[in-house]
Amino acid sequence: MARAGLTTELLTRAGAELADEVGFDQVTVSALARRFDVKVASLYSHVRNSQDLRTRIALLALEEMADRAADALAGRAGKDALTAFAGAYRDYAREHPGRYAAAQLRLDPETAAASAGIRHAAMTRAILRGYDLAEPDQTHAVRMLGSVFHGYVGLELAGGFSHSAPDSEESWSRILDALDTLLRDWPTA
């Protein structure tokens, strides 16, 4: 029997909060049960297992990030859109490191196709339309942007830039300038 007050959505959100506090890799049904001071079995009517919980957190994070990026992009184009989009992801990762890690979870193809990940790709491609890139260059650029944003954020979250000058904010700005220049002058094959 399900414990009164517990829902799949409540458990997913609590799991996301737990991920931000202790790290996504530490989120399990057992850890969540301890948080609610209930037996693990009482959560199984809401989540199938730890993998199901982790997938739900990943889907929540993808949705939150897509909403944030869409808000940041509204009414912007070109470099302004690129900067806003990148900033939305970076800010989300800084505020929600566990959820950001969750958003990197590999999803099965059916789940991925129904997730907000599709919105992320569509927004990236919308930004790139301002740079007039045709296929396959557009796909290469999508992959490049994702790699640069994720790589920089990952290194920054791990403290990789905190040991020396210049400030990471200055580097971030310079990287975005360089990406804008590269996208405007994209090399043709």
Side-chain angles (χ1 to χ4, degrees):
M1 172 162 202
R3 181 179 166 109
L6 293 180
T7 64
T8 302
E9 182 180 350
L10 176 69
L11 294 173
T12 301
R13 291 201 175 275
E17 290 170 12
L18 184 62
D20 288 339
E21 293 167 16
V22 301
F24 182 60
D25 57 339
Q26 300 299 311
V27 175
T28 63
V29 173
S30 297
L32 200 56
R34 285 190 297 277
R35 179 170 224 143
F36 283 97
D37 195 27
V38 298
K39 294 187 183 306
V40 172
S42 65
L43 301 185
Y44 286 133
S45 59
H46 305 289
V47 293
R48 290 187 304 273
N49 51 40
S50 291
Q51 185 59 36
D52 179 44
L53 174 63
R54 292 166 57 83
T55 298
R56 290 175 187 281
I57 295 167
L59 293 171
L60 172 66
L62 286 168
E63 189 71 36
E64 289 175 343
M65 286 174 34
D67 290 345
R68 184 176 286 202
D71 288 345
L73 281 174
R76 299 177 191 265
K79 182 181 178 192
D80 192 32
L82 176 68
T83 301
F85 187 72
Y89 282 98
R90 184 176 179 223
D91 290 346
Y92 185 85
R94 290 165 141 183
E95 293 168 28
H96 301 291
R99 293 177 204 211
Y100 181 77
Q104 312 311 311
L105 182 70
R106 185 177 185 147
L107 302 172
D108 67 75
E110 184 177 318
T111 302
S115 77
I118 302 301
R119 288 177 56 205
H120 294 265
M123 285 185 280
T124 305
R125 288 181 184 281
I127 291 166
L128 292 173
R129 280 195 294 277
Y131 292 98
D132 199 28
L133 296 179
E135 284 300 344
D137 291 327
Q138 191 177 89
T139 296
H140 296 313
V142 167
R143 292 173 180 167
M144 176 190 68
L145 292 176
S147 298
V148 171
F149 299 160
H150 180 65
Y152 192 90
V153 166
L155 289 168
E156 186 175 47
L157 288 176
F161 306 132
S162 61
H163 61 281
S164 64
D167 181 76
S168 68
E169 210 55 49
E170 183 179 339
S171 295
W172 180 250
S173 179
R174 298 279 305 266
I175 288 167
L176 294 175
D177 288 344
L179 287 171
D180 175 63
T181 299
L182 175 63
L183 290 169
R184 282 187 281 113
D185 299 327
W186 189 266
T188 56

